[in-house]
Amino acid sequence: MSHGEKSVVLAPSLLSADFADLSSAIQAAEEGGAGAFHLDVMDGHFVPNISFGPALVKAVRRRTSLPLDIHLMISEPEKYLGEFAKVGGATLAMHIESQGDHRKLITEARRLNARPGIAISPDTPLSRVESLLPEIDELIVMGVYPGFSGQKYIPSTTDKLAAARKLLDRTGRSIDLSIDGGITLETAPSAARSGANFFVCGNSVYGNGKSPQDNLGELRRAIAQGPPR
Ligand code: DX5
Ligand code: ZN
């Protein structure tokens, strides 16, 4: 098993936080050792849900110095890459199922001084992204159908992650393998064993009634040691 040289990053998804009190959500996650924030941008077209846009990303940017991992669940990413880079997106991840020439989008993200990422939905085979991997900095493998937080992890994702890790290692570059959707104390360890190093956590950080600090600590332990007995 190889994780490349990448260290484990926990990236709370603010979609699951209280939008009226994002400052507290951000601070709590920082105290809990979050390594990045994951921001789910949804346009009501690529996915059935609408979340938020650049204005909210800009507000979050002012409250934290952690990197912002922007997950673009939008039909036409080429229209908005510039805006999301301007408001502080460190990584701009576009879905392979969205419109546009993804190779050009990756080049454009780099020109904007962002890390280019590609996200892949559960029903899309890895062969669709394979030729792009040498050019990206993050591959987001979805553990659920994009659109909503709090869904159940699709078990076959674990095999997809292992296959993705192999392909990423073959590039000889250090590329984050992110797992997004359905991550819990039970699912995080198997995703880690399959080579994921970047864990997006929505409900498991903000949605279970416990403090984000405690939740992040438990997730980190589970990833290091396996699930709780
Ligand atoms: C789903 C989003 C995920 C989601 C994760 O479309 O991309 O980032 O917010 O939430 P949980 O961890 O609750 O599945
Ligand atoms: Zn996401």
Side-chain angles (χ1 to χ4, degrees):
M1 173 183 61
S2 166
H3 291 204
E5 303 95 59
K6 302 301 271 181
S7 52
V8 167
V9 174
L10 299 183
S13 165
L14 292 174
L15 186 65
S16 296
D18 177 359
F19 281 11
D21 196 5
L22 284 178
S23 290
S24 304
I26 290 166
Q27 197 190 330
E30 287 184 342
E31 287 170 11
F37 284 101
H38 180 85
L39 287 110
D40 289 303
V41 177
M42 306 180 181
D43 65 356
H45 186 256
F46 181 76
V47 287
N49 197 6
I50 298 178
S51 58
F52 49 75
L56 186 125
V57 175
K58 188 175 179 184
V60 169
R61 176 73 294 162
R62 286 198 289 258
R63 289 275 184 266
T64 181
S65 53
L66 288 178
L68 304 184
D69 182 53
I70 313 289
H71 181 189
L72 295 168
M73 286 164 275
I74 62 179
S75 292
E76 298 180 272
E78 68 270 23
K79 285 193 181 166
Y80 300 98
L81 287 185
E83 265 191 82
F84 283 105
K86 198 165 119 203
V87 294
T91 304
L92 301 177
M94 33 263 169
H95 264 268
I96 193 66
E97 305 85 5
S98 66
Q99 295 167 28
D101 177 337
H102 290 78
R103 201 172 292 277
K104 276 199 190 133
L105 293 171
I106 289 166
T107 306
E108 176 64 4
R110 254 197 223 290
R111 195 187 64 80
L112 294 163
N113 290 319
R115 301 167 74 237
I118 289 286
I120 179 166
S121 290
D123 291 342
T124 308
L126 283 171
S127 56
R128 282 276 303 276
V129 300
E130 201 173 336
S131 70
L132 296 173
L133 299 181
E135 293 167 44
I136 62 175
D137 291 336
E138 180 187 31
L139 177 66
I140 300 181
V141 172
M142 296 302 300
V144 301
Y145 291 97
F148 301 92
S149 59
Q151 303 180 72
K152 230 171 144 331
Y153 185 79
I154 299 168
S156 59
T157 310
T158 300
D159 289 343
K160 195 176 190 180
L161 283 169
R165 183 76 266 172
K166 273 196 195 134
L167 294 175
L168 292 176
D169 285 350
R170 224 178 269 164
T171 66
R173 293 181 56 248
S174 172
I175 302 167
D176 281 316
L177 178 56
S178 302
I179 173 63
D180 183 13
I183 284 300
T184 64
L185 295 179
E186 282 70 38
T187 59
S190 60
R193 279 194 298 275
S194 295
N197 72 289
F198 192 106
F199 299 81
V200 176
C201 322
N203 270 29
S204 60
V205 167
Y206 293 121
N208 63 3
K210 294 193 283 181
S211 80
Q213 290 93 325
D214 288 352
N215 284 330
L216 284 163
E218 287 178 17
L219 283 162
R220 187 169 298 98
R221 272 192 298 281
I223 289 164
Q225 300 163 7
R229 284 158 205 275

